[in-house]
Amino acid sequence: MSSGLEDVVAAETVLSDVDGEAGRLIIRGHPLEALAGHWTFEQTVHLLFGGFFDDLPDPERLAATLGQARVEAFDRARPLLPLLADLPVYDAMRTAIAPMPDGVTLDDALRLIAAPAVLIPALLRQSAGQDPIAPDPSCGHADDVVRMLGRDKGGAALDAYLVTVSDHGLNASTFAARVVASTQAGLTSAVLAGLGALKGPLHGGAPGPVIEMLDGIAAEGDAHAWIDRTLNHGDRLMGFGHRIYRVRDPRADALKAALHTLDRVGGRLEFAEQVERVALVALRQRKQSRVIETNVEFYTALLLEAVGFPKESFTGVFAMGRVAGWIAHAREQALTGRLIRPKSVYLEEGRARAA
Ligand code: SDX
């Protein structure tokens, strides 16, 4: 029995390859470094969707259709916003997505990609007492998100981030989406499953606590003391470690490069790099049998903070990019026609649990 499904191969996929030993991420034949900062999120969506929607238009047409989908998402969201005001932004977004049509068409897919992009800025502005800003369908997707947030810069960095996190093999939330799609449920159901899994701090819920770690260390003024105390308490350092990568997550450096396109980073990046060095030494000293390196979430936190997102919205922004991967994997699984249904070992009363 493999309780974490470690090393269990549960699918064949054309979508992405995560090489944990080499520290390499390939998305539909393209190494991440060729995509992040070079391809737009819309072009990456087009890349991921190829072969899974018969009516997939060229990337330019797809971008225009996605822009229109943002307008429709905004019109659908407006009456709901006041009803969601008391919920945390991630739960509010998930609630607003739940009633969306549960189909498997390209229009359904683009509506699901547009939804988080429109909802997160609108919900954040509402919680700040500001009116939501309507989308501009002529804008690029990431630029429009930054615009709806009320910011004038950061689109290029956000675009690189959305591309970087768009797909990543059979991570927990993508696997959840595939399980739901394997029952022949629709894309909204698959995306809701992905949203549920992504929220956990061991997965997509990590970047917010990275900011809390940096702020805690800055307040104490001693990274060694803070990190030692945390690890001695048996807690984990958010932004470090990975089930697959045994070397540095290639996305960490892709996001660091995107950070340099922002002028609001300032000394925060140098400080974070210092903390990262102290954390890696402490982890190596304590976990000598295990390689624990920086993962995608450490620099995600700095990038999203610098673009202007509050830390409680980071997981929602992660979903803004990963929703493309969830949809592509859901379509890939549904087209196999195969239901995912593993076995379990029954523990009779009083029998010891397996290690
Ligand atoms: C994402 O799968 C994906 O692809 C995910 C993702 C994606 O794009 O979808 O890459 C996104 O989820 C990145 C990970 C974000 N999470 C965090 O940053 C949270 C902190 N990291 C972890 O909790 C942990 O590293 C996991 C959950 C990410 C992976 O853990 P594993 O593979 O299940 O390893 P494990 O929990 O069995 O840990 C092995 C040992 C343990 O020590 P011992 O009990 O053997 O003494 O390593 C230790 C762990 O305590 N360890 C850590 C640690 N990560 C592992 N100790 C301190 N800090 C950490 N961050």
Side-chain angles (χ1 to χ4, degrees):
M1 190 254 304
S2 168
S3 62
L5 300 187
E6 286 92 340
D7 304 324
V8 169
V9 178
E12 289 182 330
T13 181
V14 299
L15 292 167
S16 58
D17 179 44
V18 180
D19 183 334
E21 299 306 322
R24 201 186 51 179
L25 170 59
I26 305 285
I27 297 178
R28 298 225 68 173
H30 299 262
L32 173 68
E33 51 276 11
L35 296 175
H38 304 288
W39 286 44
T40 64
F41 178 63
E42 294 91 320
Q43 288 169 328
T44 307
V45 169
H46 186 270
L47 182 66
L48 285 167
F49 282 12
F52 297 113
F53 295 98
D54 295 337
D55 50 346
L56 188 66
D58 61 52
E60 291 69 35
R61 184 86 217 102
L62 181 81
T65 311
L66 182 55
Q68 197 46 47
R70 290 195 301 273
V71 171
E72 289 167 21
F74 186 78
D75 294 343
R76 203 174 34 249
R78 283 232 60 172
L80 294 175
L81 290 174
L83 307 174
L84 303 169
D86 297 336
L87 288 175
V89 64
Y90 192 85
D91 300 356
M93 172 193 60
R94 183 172 53 182
T95 305
I97 287 173
M100 289 175 65
D102 201 10
V104 292
T105 68
L106 179 63
D107 282 348
D108 294 317
L110 295 181
R111 268 196 286 271
L112 287 162
I113 290 190
V118 165
L119 286 163
I120 295 293
L123 288 161
L124 287 174
R125 286 184 64 83
Q126 174 176 262
S127 60
Q130 299 165 319
D131 287 335
I133 298 171
D136 174 350
S138 68
C139 268
H141 193 66
D143 282 336
D144 208 14
V145 171
V146 169
R147 212 189 112 268
M148 289 187 280
L149 198 59
R151 295 277 178 160
D152 54 5
K153 283 187 259 186
L158 180 61
D159 202 29
Y161 170 74
L162 297 178
V163 169
T164 298
V165 299
S166 60
D167 197 47
H168 203 246
L170 232 45
N171 60 84
S173 55
T174 298
F175 185 63
R178 285 189 79 119
V179 169
V180 168
S182 80
T183 72
Q184 301 296 320
L187 293 174
T188 299
S189 296
V191 165
L192 288 171
L195 286 169
L198 188 73
K199 185 177 176 183
L202 295 188
H203 185 19
V210 169
I211 293 295
E212 289 160 9
M213 172 175 70
L214 294 175
D215 291 346
I217 290 172
E220 180 162 346
D222 184 338
H224 290 84
W226 196 97
I227 287 170
D228 285 346
R229 189 171 59 247
T230 301
L231 293 174
N232 292 341
H233 192 254
D235 294 331
R236 291 172 176 226
L237 300 182
M238 295 292 129
F240 297 92
H242 201 275
R243 174 62 60 81
I244 305 294
Y245 287 121
R246 288 295 160 264
V247 293
R248 187 178 176 80
D249 187 328
R251 298 170 296 174
D253 290 328
L255 295 181
K256 251 176 105 169
L259 266 166
H260 289 298
T261 67
L262 291 164
D263 56 15
R264 273 196 299 273
V265 183
R268 188 79 156 161
L269 178 55
E270 284 71 38
F271 171 68
E273 287 172 328
Q274 285 167 20
V275 170
E276 180 188 16
R277 282 192 291 272
V278 174
L280 290 173
V281 168
L283 287 164
R284 282 184 194 124
Q285 284 167 347
R286 280 173 171 72
K287 308 288 176 181
Q288 291 177 16
S289 62
R290 172 81 185 229
V291 172
I292 303 176
E293 286 285 350
T294 311
N295 65 41
V296 65
E297 311 300 11
F298 189 77
Y299 287 104
T300 285
L302 262 75
L303 186 146
L304 297 186
E305 178 189 60
V307 171
F309 289 101
K311 63 180 184 303
E312 60 273 12
S313 67
F314 287 178
T315 307
V317 184
F318 191 163
M320 235 185 252
R322 184 54 57 83
V323 65
W326 292 336
I327 290 168
H329 277 273
R331 291 297 300 139
E332 186 176 56
Q333 181 66 39
L335 292 175
T336 68
R338 193 87 182 119
L339 175 69
I340 295 174
R341 201 282 186 214
K343 289 173 70 175
S344 54
V345 173
Y346 174 61
L347 299 180
E348 283 144 27
E349 278 309 299
R351 214 182 95 194
R353 294 176 65 79

